[in-house]
Amino acid sequence: MKSVFKLSASRWALLAAFGLAAAGTTPAAAADLGGDCCADLEERVAELEATTARKGNRKVSLTVSGWVNEEVMYWNDGTESNVYVGTNKLEQSRVRFVGEAQIVPGWSAGYTLELGINGGSSNTWSQTNVDGSGSNAVSVRKSSWFIKSKDLGKVTVGQDGTALYHVLDDADGANTRNFSDAQAAAVAQSGFLLRHNGSTINGLTWGNILQGIDNGTVGQDGRRNVVRYDSPTFAGFTVTASWGEDDDWGMSLNFTNVWGDFKVLAKVGYGQNSDENIGCSTKTAPTDCEMFGTAATIMHVPTGLYVYGGYAQNHDNRVADLGAPGTEATSSMWFVQGGIEQKWIPLGKTTVFGEYRHDEGGSKDNVTFNGAALASTDLNFVGAGVVQHIDPAEMDFYVIYRHAEGNMTNVATDKLDLDAFDAVQMGALIKF
């Protein structure tokens, strides 16, 4: 998110600025320094201060930033169709407060407070719920403090991203990151009911059969209460490690560099989660989940041609507890996106892209159909879209088409082909 202002200016600096402005615009009046000139400036400064956000002290800077991301989505499940309006939950509307202060040269301390804001929450839209659950609500996304050294790295404590948080998504080096990254397809239709030959299937949704801890996407973890370490950057490489909750740990290696005409962004991570309150891909909580994910973007800078893709999997070490033949402990997915990003018009860069994602899901003991637990899934997601950046307004308009299809099998070897689901998302994200 882009910073737009920092609250650090003294009252006398403001007085001087107003005085210079007055001198430059009305020289004759400025030469007459008698009477009420200073009183007038004091009054104008007081009015400005009354309408300006304040911070608690002058030692810690405060940066306020965020964005609003709202969309219109048309969907069609083969039996029913409709158009909904609300918050794009892939990267929901939010506001962030970041403070930082220097302790000694090379060392600083600070904090991050980030609030998520939902109008109509798109990831819980369904055929029967136009607003989605959790709508018109504010949530705490991040609440943490940090100590940072230029030479030794950064330690963060509190609710924040784990080392595997967005390990696939943040490897997206094109301007599709906030609109069509690795988990976008899963988020877009998570709440909608599955259909087979027009009929719903035991009330199951796409989100029920998608795998993974992070928005139906394997290989990634979420935001949790953790201790996190980010190393300094060496030759383009950064190491991140985190631990917290009961128990959740992970490590990732991040790389960014430019080689000749090519820009490269890559991430790889591994972690385990045995938190008693969190289910893995395959089993309800408690669980013992191993997560792996890797992704990268390679862009040819002169032409703007790029490829973004990756592979991930989750493995549940307790899946044997299901005690049925045909159960699968591992869920995996791979995806690829290709496109071109160029500034063809003065307003800003245009990104045109196409993408494909394939999921092979494992078993879930809390998902049943035809009287037996889910054993496996085979799902395909195809998409294409355009994102137009508007430089003067720090705004992005996007139009994206998505298509999903696949099948699922239960432990009794009953197999159902799912009715296709199509959607068109149209919206905009504006930063502040």
Side-chain angles (χ1 to χ4, degrees), residues 343-399:
K343 190 173 183 178
W344 288 309
I345 61 176
L347 286 175
K349 286 185 177 181
T350 306
T351 307
V352 182
F353 67 95
E355 62 187 18
Y356 174 78
R357 167 175 161 167
H358 178 70
D359 287 49
E360 294 182 4
S363 307
K364 277 192 170 182
D365 61 341
N366 63 335
V367 175
T368 62
F369 66 94
N370 293 352
L374 179 69
S376 63
T377 58
D378 192 301
L379 307 174
N380 299 295
F381 304 89
V382 180
V386 178
V387 181
Q388 178 60 58
H389 185 66
I390 310 296
D391 283 332
E394 197 58 43
M395 190 174 194
D396 291 289
F397 287 96
Y398 54 92
V399 178

Side-chain angles (χ1 to χ4, degrees), residues 169-186:
D169 303 331
D170 285 345
D172 185 348
N175 194 28
T176 56
R177 168 61 184 86
N178 293 324
F179 318 107
S180 199
D181 56 25
Q183 64 177 331

Side-chain angles (χ1 to χ4, degrees), residues 8-20 37-39 41-43 45-46 48-49 58:
S8 57
S10 71
R11 187 181 186 87
W12 294 112
L14 287 171
L15 284 170
F18 276 118
L20 290 172
C37 75
C38 292
L41 286 176
E42 286 276 4
E43 183 179 352
V45 170
L48 179 63
E49 289 181 336
R58 295 183 180 274

Side-chain angles (χ1 to χ4, degrees), residues 129-140:
N129 193 341
V130 64
D131 289 324
S133 60
S135 298
N136 298 319
V138 177
S139 60
V140 177

